[in-house]
Amino acid sequence: MGMISRVRGRIRSDSFSKIHNNKSEDKLANIVWLISLVLVLPYWAPRGLLVALGGAWLMAAYTCLVLPVLISANYRYPARWYPAVAKLVRRLARRLRAPTACLLGVLKTAYAPVDRAERLFLQMNNLSTMVSQLLIFTACDRLLVLQGRLTCLYSLMFYNVVTYSVNYVKEICTKEDWSPYVNVTRHSRVKHLAMSATKIVLEWTKAVTFIVTMTFILLTLGLEQGLEYFRPTTLYTLITGTFYLLSEKTFLELWPLALSALKLESLEGMEVLYCGVWSRAITTMIAVPLVPALVWHERFRLALLILYICVIVHGRHRLGEELMKLNEAQGSLARFRRATADEISTLEDVCAVCLGTMKSARVTPCAHFFHADCLRKCLASSDRCPICVREYVFC
């Protein structure tokens, strides 16, 4: 009997300690929840208490230091009603799944005309690009330049002049026919007098315009005349310059050429596709943080325009199209394995499509080696090997 009573005493003491521990954990969880609620209160203060005290940097530092601690503390000591709330949310989500799908279908049908208008707007490439540039530049004016409301116009004009100069230099570098005369037909040696005179006048006009433009730019920047309203900060120039260089058509055509000069074998000749995705992604990432910043400064209409045009329209259509092209190209090559370094070194051969040396290659099921980009171009027209004309059969 004494042994039985001792066992019962131990059981009672263990159960009491467990109850005591549960109560203490519940108490600690409630304290953590209340402290979290108090520490989140500065976000609900009018105009932001932390911003009023120390500016946006204090708010950012407070967010980076406090929020991770609050999340980890609530994860370590969850309140008893957390699982019940999560279970209730899951139950509501299951019940609202069918009505939500029906509502999304109705919204998609109603949004179809707007989607067609967005695609038509993007087809006017120059207009849509200029509108997005003006919106981003105006937002940077409102956020980063205290005085100088014309800074965005000055900046856009300056960038356009630079683009014109780059276009002219590019035309000179890629020009093949330097003859000032125009023949009557392609294979004739008879000169067309009127067309030749027009061509000479146009070429000289372009050259004189380029020289005058560069002279005035150098004089303006050197003498700083007429720039009293042009006071861009370093951050302003960095953001607007990056957005312009990654959205203007002229530079979008130059970036793949510059990337091709690096000869990165990991890109497998798809520099154009990678540059398209990177440029669209970076321009969208530049536009995203400007929206809450404008809302914070009560620029609601400008924030709404940037959110719709620069983030939703450009991000959904242009970035989506570039990602789809890249995924299709990578998907078409995924069936073919990469050649190893030993295989390429022992091969000592050239690509049968472009006759170029192979530092990296893809291997077909019929054991033929091609550059990845050359193979991708061949797959666009035929699903047969360019050498043995066999259909690709994968095990």
Side-chain angles (χ1 to χ4, degrees), residues 177-186 188-200 202-203:
D177 183 15
W178 288 89
S179 175
Y181 304 107
V182 179
N183 296 332
V184 176
T185 61
R186 179 180 298 178
S188 174
R189 294 184 179 181
V190 179
K191 304 298 186 295
H192 195 297
L193 183 60
M195 294 298 294
S196 299
T198 304
K199 182 179 179 180
I200 293 172
L202 287 176
E203 294 297 333

Side-chain angles (χ1 to χ4, degrees), residues 352-377:
V353 178
C354 66
L355 301 180
T357 58
M358 287 187 291
K359 295 182 180 179
S360 65
R362 294 276 183 163
V363 185
T364 62
C366 47
H368 290 128
F369 293 74
F370 301 97
H371 288 139
D373 190 48
C374 298
L375 181 59
R376 183 174 60 86
K377 292 176 181 177

Side-chain angles (χ1 to χ4, degrees), residues 74 77-91:
N74 282 274
Y77 302 102
R80 183 173 292 181
W81 48 271
Y82 283 176
V85 172
K87 185 177 180 180
L88 179 62
V89 170
R90 288 195 295 267
R91 187 182 302 171

Side-chain angles (χ1 to χ4, degrees), residues 272-335:
V272 176
L273 300 178
Y274 278 102
C275 282
V277 172
W278 293 341
S279 60
R280 302 303 182 189
I282 293 174
T283 51
T284 305
M285 290 171 59
I286 290 175
V288 167
L290 295 178
V291 176
L294 289 170
V295 172
W296 186 265
H297 288 81
E298 298 181 354
R299 304 282 184 176
F300 301 109
R301 287 179 293 182
L302 184 57
L304 184 61
L305 286 173
I306 291 179
L307 176 63
Y308 178 67
I309 295 178
C310 300
V311 178
I312 297 177
V313 175
H314 285 267
R316 187 166 66 91
H317 291 286
R318 288 187 170 169
L319 179 58
E321 291 175 359
E322 297 295 337
L323 281 173
M324 185 175 62
K325 292 178 183 178
L326 181 60
N327 291 332
E328 288 179 356
Q330 292 177 339
S332 63
L333 293 175
R335 301 176 297 170

